[in-house]
Amino acid sequence: MIRLQSYVADRFVDGTAAGRSFVDPTTGAVLGTIDSTGVDCADALHHARTVGGPALAAMSFAARGALLGAIADALQARRDDWMEIARKNSGNTTRDASVDVDGGIATLKYYARLAKGLGDTRMLIEPGADRLAKGPFEARHVWTTRPGAAIFINAFNFPSWGLWEKVAVAIVAGMPIVAKPASGTAWLAEAMVRAVVAAGVLPAGVLSLVCGSAEGLLDAVEPFDCIAFTGSAETGRMIRAHPAVLAANPRLGIEADSVNTALLAPSATPEAAAFERLVEQALAAVSVKAGQLCTNIRRILVPAGVEDAFVATLATRIDDLVVGDPALAEVTVGPLVDEKQLRAAFAGLAALAPETRTVRGGGIPATVVGADTAQGAFLAPTLLVADTGAVLSAVHDVEVFGPVVTVIPYATLDEAVDLAARGEGSLAASIYADGAEEAATIAARLAPLHGRVLVVDAEVGRGHTGHSIVMPQCVHGGPGRAGGGEELGGLRGLRFFMQRTAIQGSPTMLADLAAKATETSL
Ligand code: NAP
């Protein structure tokens, strides 16, 4: 039986209570326990701020980038181990695990390169000065490292990527980290942190991990800290309203859930390439990571005239999916992460039921390969159709965190945009249109509702990264319901962890300041 430990103040420590168990979702077997009772979160944060922070602040951007490269190398060396843990504890197929494991390592490497490009300074300065008076008095804006700690509270569905994509940006910015993975899948994060600690690549105090409850972590938050939360909107609201968070007013980023949209352009016919491209992404939405991606397509808006053809084509493709034990090569859809998530998905399906008809799935799969539905947390890939989008509410509101999509027909582009807006702010949308001009028009209309819009036109064809995949070059986050946060996006991600300051003074002083900094726009 595995017992996860926290790594705080540069020591691995055990919780003092029995804690909660975590499972293999394919079999329901208990794999181990996790508990943070007695772990001194206040001391962990103090250690990060006073030991890890100064160590990073003294390093140049390039040197911090070298740290990320060393972390990536330490993780890459044991990739097979991580893939195995992702299979056992998250129910990931090889493809699913790669999104999490390789995605995390690739993001570390990407930021290692970006940091190297920032050179041997420790401060950024924005291009251009603003003249403030008739005499020699100007302003420039600089970005410096905040003297606090970065606190991450992460969701269960990306124990690797969710940790390392944030670690990467925080380290480039110069902030030490105290991360709390979701308890159900923390094994992978804990094992990876152990490997990084064993490799001895990080200065003391730079990386801490609290395995178990977040209790005590938020109580100890201070004004210069940055809290990055990823998870459900409900938990996000609790964190926003936490008394210590309200009192200290740290930076707070909320990456929450959303009911993301894929839109087939009004001009598309069943013969259009765009039609097929959407079918491919819809199929990914009901198979990759069993639909447990925050960016996953939930609603598919199609022109009313092609609804039947689209539903029939997608249903046929869904019939080819194989649900079961993710260890088996033929399996394309693994289980949900645990029984609790399965129950939550059933509750979501029940909420959608009055507004939809079920074309495929909708419950426990009739057959699973190499596993038993009585033990494993399996949900059949599910295709729902809602015939009257405008008068519905649940399909725009309920995120079923599993392999479930709802097709909604629309009559006009205006109606389609209105339907997308009913999601009240989402992480990602995708548009499928053969013509670039039509695609651009739709993209401009969906942009204010989303953090990212994937546009698949004839020129892009199959050569895109997918609706759900978060690329480190692009911002991730969304307005409104999606949390209002923003992360990644290359250097833009540094904004969250650094302080922008207007420095007013003489041109001579500002030139001296600029000589100590790297000029770049964030
Ligand atoms: P969750 O239940 O909200 O939990 C998220 C994290 O918050 C976990 O680490 C959890 O710890 C912790 N937590 C729970 N209650 C807390 C409290 N009172 N105070 C402080 N921390 C608390 O979400 P989840 O089920 O793990 O993740 C699924 C959801 O995350 C989905 O809705 C998905 O859309 C969303 N998500 C969003 C993004 C994004 O980038 N926008 C990415 C991934 C997932 P324990 O596990 O120990 O309870």
Side-chain angles (χ1 to χ4, degrees):
M1 188 76 74
I2 300 149
R3 174 70 169 180
L4 300 187
Q5 291 185 308
S6 294
Y7 183 69
V8 292
D10 300 313
R11 283 183 306 121
F12 281 100
V13 293
D14 218 340
T16 53
R20 56 163 283 191
S21 56
F22 56 94
V23 301
D24 179 339
T26 306
T27 63
V30 172
L31 296 168
T33 58
I34 175 169
D35 177 61
S36 61
T37 311
V39 172
D40 192 337
C41 291
D43 184 53
L45 281 168
H46 179 73
H47 185 76
R49 292 184 201 108
T50 56
V51 177
L56 282 177
M59 298 171 78
S60 68
F61 290 113
R64 295 175 203 160
L67 292 183
L68 298 185
I71 296 175
D73 290 344
L75 295 177
Q76 188 75 52
R78 291 193 43 202
R79 178 180 182 271
D80 291 350
D81 294 340
W82 319 139
M83 298 293 280
E84 179 72 357
I85 294 175
R87 180 181 67 72
K88 281 190 181 148
N89 187 202
S90 292
N92 284 179
T93 63
T94 301
R95 176 169 72 157
D96 299 342
S98 172
V99 177
D100 191 23
V101 172
D102 296 328
I105 295 171
T107 305
L108 283 163
K109 288 181 177 169
Y110 169 77
Y111 274 97
R113 286 195 300 277
L114 275 192
K116 190 176 175 194
L118 292 176
D120 288 325
T121 71
R122 293 173 292 146
M123 179 166 58
L124 303 175
I125 189 160
E126 294 183 357
D130 290 293
R131 210 164 153 198
L132 302 176
K134 280 190 181 144
F137 183 58
E138 298 181 343
R140 293 199 68 173
H141 287 80
V142 296
W143 291 88
T144 52
T145 297
R146 288 162 67 92
I151 301 168
F152 303 155
I153 298 177
N154 289 348
F156 74 81
N157 55 334
F158 281 104
S160 164
W161 176 83
L163 173 64
W164 300 116
E165 55 105 5
K166 288 187 170 68
V167 165
V169 189
I171 285 184
V172 177
M175 281 199 108
I177 296 127
V178 179
K180 191 211 107 52
S183 297
T185 56
W187 180 19
L188 181 55
E190 196 251 29
M192 288 176 135
V193 166
R194 266 183 198 282
V196 171
V197 170
V201 294
L202 284 179
V206 166
L207 181 59
S208 303
L209 194 75
V210 175
C211 286
S213 152
E215 208 175 316
L217 198 54
L218 296 177
D219 293 330
V221 72
E222 291 187 358
F224 292 113
D225 295 339
C226 300
I227 303 172
F229 166 77
T230 307
S232 63
E234 192 185 342
T235 311
R237 276 192 290 276
M238 278 158 56
I239 290 174
R240 254 189 231 285
H242 191 284
V245 173
L246 291 173
N249 199 22
R251 285 257 170 89
L252 176 60
I254 303 274
E255 300 284 342
D257 52 29
S258 67
V259 189
N260 307 293
T261 302
L263 192 157
L264 185 62
S267 68
T269 63
E271 293 71 40
F275 182 96
E276 173 59 21
R277 298 290 91 79
L278 174 57
V279 170
E280 291 161 2
Q281 289 304 300
L283 198 64
V286 293
S287 54
V288 177
K289 283 185 80 67
Q292 299 165 107
L293 297 104
C294 54
T295 45
N296 215 40
I297 298 171
R298 306 288 171 201
R299 297 175 294 162
I300 302 176
L301 306 180
V302 297
V306 301
E307 178 193 359
D308 289 347
F310 181 80
V311 169
T313 307
L314 182 56
T316 310
R317 302 287 176 87
I318 287 175
D319 291 341
D320 294 336
L321 294 173
V322 180
V323 184
D325 180 351
L328 302 174
E330 69 267 35
V331 166
T332 48
V333 187
L336 299 193
V337 80
D338 58 22
E339 183 66 28
K340 185 175 153 222
Q341 285 300 316
L342 186 61
R343 280 199 305 273
F346 281 136
L349 286 170
L352 296 185
E355 299 183 354
T356 57
R357 62 189 162 88
T358 305
V359 177
R360 287 293 184 277
I364 293 173
T367 52
V368 295
V369 177
D372 181 351
T373 52
Q375 265 95 48
F378 293 98
L379 180 64
T382 297
L383 170 57
L384 306 175
V385 176
D387 285 319
T388 48
V391 297
L392 306 177
S393 61
V395 294
H396 304 300
D397 184 46
V398 176
E399 179 204 46
V400 183
F401 209 55
V404 179
V405 293
T406 303
V407 173
I408 308 169
Y410 70 83
T412 64
L413 180 59
D414 284 347
E415 187 194 352
V417 173
D418 285 349
L419 291 174
R422 296 282 303 276
E424 299 189 328
S426 300
L427 294 168
S430 52
I431 297 163
Y432 305 82
D434 284 353
E437 196 183 330
E438 182 181 28
T441 304
I442 304 170
R445 299 205 47 192
L446 291 188
L449 313 172
H450 298 91
R452 177 169 61 83
V453 178
L454 163 71
V455 183
V456 181
D457 63 8
E459 189 177 345
V460 165
R462 277 207 172 85
H464 60 84
T465 46
H467 171 106
S468 296
I469 299 298
V470 176
M471 301 302 292
Q473 296 87 344
C474 301
V475 291
H476 171 60
R481 180 204 171 128
E486 186 179 287
E487 59 175 0
L488 295 172
L491 293 178
R492 298 172 191 88
L494 295 175
R495 290 180 193 171
F496 182 71
F497 297 108
M498 298 184 83
Q499 180 61 41
R500 174 159 47 188
T501 307
I503 308 281
Q504 302 171 314
S506 70
T508 308
M509 181 280 293
L510 290 173
D512 284 347
L513 188 72
K516 301 179 201 305
T518 300
E519 187 170 294
T520 185
S521 309
L522 286 192

